[in-house]
Every structure is written in C-alpha cells, then in structure tokens.
Amino acid sequence: MAHVASWKYEFVDKIVKLSQEYPVIGIVNINNIPAAQMQKMRRELRNEAVLIVGRNRLIKLALEKSPRKNLKELAKYIEGQTGIIFTKMNAFKLAKFMDKTKTKAPAKGGEVAPEDIVVHGGETPFKPGPIISELQKVGLPAAVQKGKIVIRKDTLLVKKGEVISRDVAQVLTKLEIYPITVGLDLRAAYEDEIVFPKEVLHVDTEKVYGDLLNAIQYAVNLSVNMAWPTKLTMPLLIGKAARDAMSLAINAGVVNKYTVEHILRKAYMEMLSLASKLSDGLDEELKSLISKRASPPPEEKKEEKEEKEEKKEEEEENKEEEAIEGLGALFG
C-alpha cells in the first residue's frame, strides 16, 4: 500500500471542518495572480473570509467527504489554479466582495486582451531616444515634437480576444497602461444546499431594487383600487374611504361638524359664480368681491399655480414613501 503524506490528510480534514463551520463556500480562480497581490488580497479577506489554496484533487476529495448535502456539486467548478473560500456573508455579497479585490496589472506577454487596448494620442513622458523605435515597432505612430516623443493619434494596439505580444506588453508597461485585471474570480458558491454559478451571482443590485420598488408601487395601487384589504393597504383604503365619504357628504349637502365648513365654502363660491352672471341688483361689496375673483393679480395666479405644483409633488412623494414603507412591511 502506497504511503500517503500526513499533511494531505490534515489538509482534507481542515477543509471538511471549515465546510461545517461556515454557511457559504466558494470556488475561486487564482490564475495569474502575482504573489504580492495575493498576499494583499488575503489581508483584505482576513476579517471576512478564509481562503485556502491547495491541490485540486485534495479540495475535491474534501468536498466529497463533507457531510453538507449537495456540496460535492461544487467540485465541478474546480479547474486550473483554484482556491476555496469560506465565509458567513451570503453568496451574492461574496461575489460583490470578490469583485472589489480585482485590480489592474501590467501585461507580461502571452495574455489574451480582455478588451480593446487603445493608446491615446498625445505627449509621452519620454525624451527622444531609442524608445521611439520600440513604439514604432509595435505600430504606434510616434514622432518627436518640441523635445518630447508624442503619439500622433489614437491607436488600437490590440483587439479584444487577441494575444498580447511580449513587445507590446513592454511598451504598454512603459506607457503605464495596465490592461490585465487580476483578482479572485468567484466561479461558484454554495449556500443552503444550492450551488450558484458565477452567472447567477453577478446581478445588478440597483436594477433589482428599482424593479422591486416599482412592483410594490404597482401592487399597492392595484390593491387600493380593487379595495383589497391587507395589513399594508388597510390604512390607505381607510384614508381613501374617508375622502370619498367627505366628498359625497359635501356634494349631497349632509351637514355635520366635519362638512359644515366645506359646504359653506362651496355655497359661497357658487354664490359668487351666480352673482358674476348677473348685471343688475348687486351692491358695491358684492361687485368688489366678484371683481377680485374674476381678475386676480398675476402674482396670485402664479402663487396658485406654484401651490398646485407643490401639492402634486407632495402627493407623489407621499406615494413613494408609502411604497417604501410597503417594502419594509413586505420583508418584515
């Protein structure tokens, strides 16, 4: 029987133990991350997660040995240089946190361009010398102007998906253009017995929040218009019913302590409207009132318009506040 090094048993047991301590487990790609940046990322993760790097075969074995249901499905995402991460933050927060670890790095040559690499025209920090031939060799329209080397126009140096040559990589580094993004790339995460692939984890949270808020607003409006009573809509329905009852009572002339003021105001305005259609038999006071009502100063018209606009804005804000309160109510 072949001898198996004790550290391999210890490594597998460590991962199995961590898989039971942390609710969320992720598989991360660590290809082409320089040692210095890896150390920096480990420091950033220190208070949020535990990152373990080891042989893929041992990581797969540990996932299979773990008692966590369905955890072995995570092994499908292990390939190339891989690390396994353990955390208490949920899978979607972990994905966003992983994105924050990514930084720009210089190309060394041989990498595939993740996007078009464009060198913009303009002055460079270089004085005339041998470097001008290096720039021209890779296809940059370099020239000397006023004692400085300049790039005469914007130049697409490498198209997305093409391999960056060593000569181009050296020139880009000298120009302080860093086209390669390095960082911990979360391939998949396990939470609540479900494995979430990378495509699912990377979501636009602002868009989702906006869609959810709109859905709540539409649901509240529909419920109120249908008179559908719920814990959320009852205050709105009661308020609407009170306003409708008040309007009905005023128009029907039902006098009580709530409607009398409105009925008198309505009668007063109707009296002025009727009087304005009469030409004879009006006293001076009534004529003065009609004149003021018919020709309000421009300032008053402007103020009335502004008041209506402010009232409309307040109503819209109240609707938004009600929707946001609804969001809190729906989610406890």
Side-chain angles (χ1 to χ4, degrees):
M1 180 176 172
H3 174 71
V4 179
S6 60
W7 68 265
K8 292 182 179 180
Y9 288 110
E10 292 170 0
F11 180 84
V12 171
D13 290 342
K14 181 178 181 180
I15 291 180
V16 171
K17 183 179 179 181
L18 288 170
S19 73
Q20 295 174 281
E21 293 178 2
Y22 289 87
V24 177
I25 303 163
I27 296 296
V28 293
N29 175 18
I30 58 173
N31 283 331
N32 301 319
I33 300 179
Q37 287 175 305
M38 176 61 80
Q39 292 301 320
K40 180 183 177 183
M41 292 171 191
R42 283 183 180 276
R43 288 195 297 271
E44 291 175 352
L45 286 169
R46 187 171 297 160
N47 297 324
E48 301 290 344
V50 177
L51 175 64
I52 304 293
V53 177
R55 294 183 181 178
N56 291 353
R57 185 172 58 84
L58 296 178
I59 295 175
K60 288 180 180 179
L61 180 60
L63 294 176
E64 292 172 358
K65 288 187 64 176
S66 174
R68 298 282 294 276
K69 184 178 178 180
N70 207 38
L71 183 59
K72 63 182 180 181
E73 295 298 317
L74 204 58
K76 295 178 181 178
Y77 299 90
I78 297 176
E79 61 177 315
Q81 291 181 289
T82 299
I84 184 167
I85 193 166
F86 304 88
T87 182
K88 293 182 179 179
M89 68 177 78
N90 71 53
F92 294 91
K93 286 185 178 180
L94 176 62
K96 292 184 74 68
F97 188 81
M98 291 292 96
D99 286 340
K100 291 179 181 178
T101 69
K102 295 179 180 179
T103 58
K104 289 294 185 179
K108 296 179 179 179
E111 301 94 339
V112 175
E115 55 190 6
D116 289 347
I117 301 175
V118 177
V119 178
H120 295 287
E123 188 178 281
T124 72
F126 309 121
K127 293 180 180 180
I131 192 172
I132 192 169
S133 63
E134 294 180 37
L135 299 174
Q136 292 173 342
K137 181 181 177 182
V138 298
L140 290 174
V144 178
Q145 291 180 7
K146 298 180 181 179
K148 287 277 190 178
I149 295 177
V150 299
I151 307 298
R152 290 200 299 268
K153 63 178 182 179
D154 291 356
T155 304
L156 175 59
L157 203 56
V158 185
K159 291 182 180 179
K160 179 180 178 180
E162 292 182 348
V163 176
I164 304 171
S165 70
R166 185 173 179 81
D167 290 339
V168 169
Q170 290 175 348
V171 166
L172 290 174
T173 301
K174 289 178 180 178
L175 291 171
E176 296 183 350
I177 297 174
Y178 307 129
I180 305 301
T181 300
V182 298
L184 298 174
D185 182 25
L186 186 65
R187 290 176 179 157
Y190 171 93
E191 182 177 12
D192 294 333
E193 302 180 358
I194 300 173
V195 174
F196 298 96
K198 177 181 179 179
E199 297 75 20
V200 174
L201 293 171
H202 288 80
V203 296
D204 186 341
T205 53
E206 291 185 3
K207 182 180 183 301
V208 171
Y209 177 80
D211 291 343
L212 184 59
L213 188 59
N214 286 334
I216 291 169
Q217 290 174 335
Y218 294 145
V220 169
N221 289 338
L222 178 61
S223 298
V224 171
N225 290 327
M226 289 179 61
W228 187 275
T230 67
K231 181 179 179 180
L232 176 62
T233 59
M234 277 304 294
L236 302 176
L237 289 171
I238 293 172
K240 183 176 182 295
R243 291 191 296 272
D244 291 345
M246 177 68 78
S247 177
L248 177 62
I250 292 170
N251 290 322
V254 177
V255 179
N256 56 44
K257 63 180 181 178
Y258 302 107
T259 62
V260 63
E261 179 183 351
H262 301 284
I263 291 173
L264 289 175
R265 186 182 295 111
K266 181 173 179 286
Y268 178 75
M269 298 304 295
E270 289 175 349
M271 178 272 294
L272 290 179
S273 178
L274 177 62
S276 66
K277 300 182 185 304
L278 302 176
S279 56
D280 300 322
L282 303 178
D283 58 27
E284 294 301 321
E285 181 180 0
L286 194 53
K287 287 180 180 179
S288 176
L289 289 173
I290 294 172
S291 176
K292 290 179 180 179
R293 179 175 179 270
S295 304
E299 292 78 14
E300 290 183 5
K301 289 183 178 179
K302 183 178 180 181
E303 289 176 0
E304 289 177 1
K305 184 178 180 181
E306 290 176 350
E307 287 177 1
K308 289 180 180 179
E309 290 177 351
E310 288 177 0
K311 185 176 180 181
K312 185 177 179 181
E313 290 176 356
E314 288 177 0
E315 290 175 352
E316 291 176 351
E317 290 175 357
N318 288 336
K319 288 181 180 179
E320 292 178 357
E321 290 174 357
E322 290 170 356
I324 293 171
E325 291 174 359
L327 177 62
L330 286 176
F331 293 96

